[in-house]
Amino acid sequence: DVKVTQSSRYLVKRTGEKVFLECVQDMDHENMFWYRQDPGLGLRLIYFSYDVKMKEKGDIPEGYSVSREKKERFSLILESASTSQTSMYLCASSPRVLYEQYFGPGTRLTVT
Amino acid sequence: GQQVMQIPQYQHVQEGEDFTTYCNSSTTLSNIQWYKQRPGGHPVFLIQLVKSGEVKKQKRLTFQFGEAKKNSSLHITATQTTDVGTYFCAGEGGSNYKLTFGKGTLLTVNP
């Protein structure tokens, strides 16, 4: 079974802090994704990566950056956390472009 | 940009009743995927449709892809309490190789 793990299930940070969210997949998938999920807004794509050191902006990249130094690991960075970034963050991976996506358990981030 | 609209937003049914959620795109889709998210869980892939007019079944679930590849539906026959959750469709239609998710339909089932 594909396993996608995320570093934390719950995280509380203060406004202005730099926040790192880590995601690791164990199936050698090429593509990895970061989404945020908010009530009534569904899943919105922040960034995705189709290869090591490659990244593409999604629909809402403002305030975020990403890093993919190794194939199995995709990090989401909030350079200066704001309360508007309080959300559920979901990481996903897929073997190829437009194939099924496998999601991690999510990180619920609260910024106070 | 591409938009994927999903209706209804909520649906409450009695156990044993049927349920349908609909997905409509502003552009022609190359494929459509369906996911289920249980309360407190993460989205889990159900199925992918790629052909115009395609119909696929998984036990009590029937998935359809429209002839024009701009709409899709998920129908559940005789709902059970285990069907509770949010059902999302996701499609790609702008040659940008990324999926756009609908906002989902939350299904609740009264036993």
Side-chain angles (χ1 to χ4, degrees), chain A residues 69-82:
Chain A
E69 296 296 318
K70 293 185 177 181
K71 192 174 186 178
E72 68 271 18
R73 189 178 297 269
F74 193 34
S75 303
L76 180 69
I77 304 152
L78 287 67
E79 294 290 341
S80 177
S82 68

Side-chain angles (χ1 to χ4, degrees), chain B residues 6-109:
Chain B
Q6 202 172 342
I7 57 170
Q9 190 174 0
Y10 306 98
Q11 184 77 60
H12 178 74
V13 300
Q14 290 291 127
E15 190 171 21
E17 292 181 341
D18 291 356
F19 160 76
T20 304
T21 174
Y22 300 91
C23 188
N24 294 288
S25 170
S26 56
T27 60
T28 302
L29 301 170
S30 62
N31 69 2
I32 191 131
Q33 298 178 10
W34 286 92
Y35 292 79
K36 176 184 178 180
Q37 184 175 24
R38 294 181 185 274
H42 57 273
V44 174
F45 173 79
L46 294 176
I47 208 161
Q48 177 169 270
L49 306 171
V50 296
K51 297 177 183 176
S52 170
E54 190 170 13
V55 178
K56 286 188 176 180
K57 292 192 175 184
Q58 289 180 349
K59 298 182 180 178
R60 293 177 295 104
L61 278 62
T62 302
F63 304 84
Q64 294 189 11
F65 201 7
E67 293 289 343
K69 300 183 76 174
K70 295 182 76 172
N71 59 77
S72 180
S73 65
L74 158 59
H75 179 83
I76 302 178
T77 303
T79 54
Q80 300 175 359
T81 54
T82 53
D83 296 324
V84 164
T86 301
Y87 293 85
F88 293 97
C89 63
E92 189 282 331
S95 69
N96 54 10
Y97 304 108
K98 63 182 177 76
L99 289 177
T100 299
F101 279 78
K103 294 183 179 180
T105 295
L106 173 61
L107 172 65
T108 55
V109 179

Side-chain angles (χ1 to χ4, degrees), chain A residues 1-5 24-29 31-32 91-95 100-105, chain B residues 42:
Chain A
D1 277 352
V2 175
K3 192 164 186 183
V4 180
T5 56
V24 178
Q25 50 95 3
D26 67 355
M27 283 302 291
D28 202 36
H29 284 176
N31 303 287
M32 298 188 74
C91 175
S93 72
S94 70
E100 68 274 16
Q101 295 188 16
Y102 297 85
F103 285 82
Chain B
H42 57 273

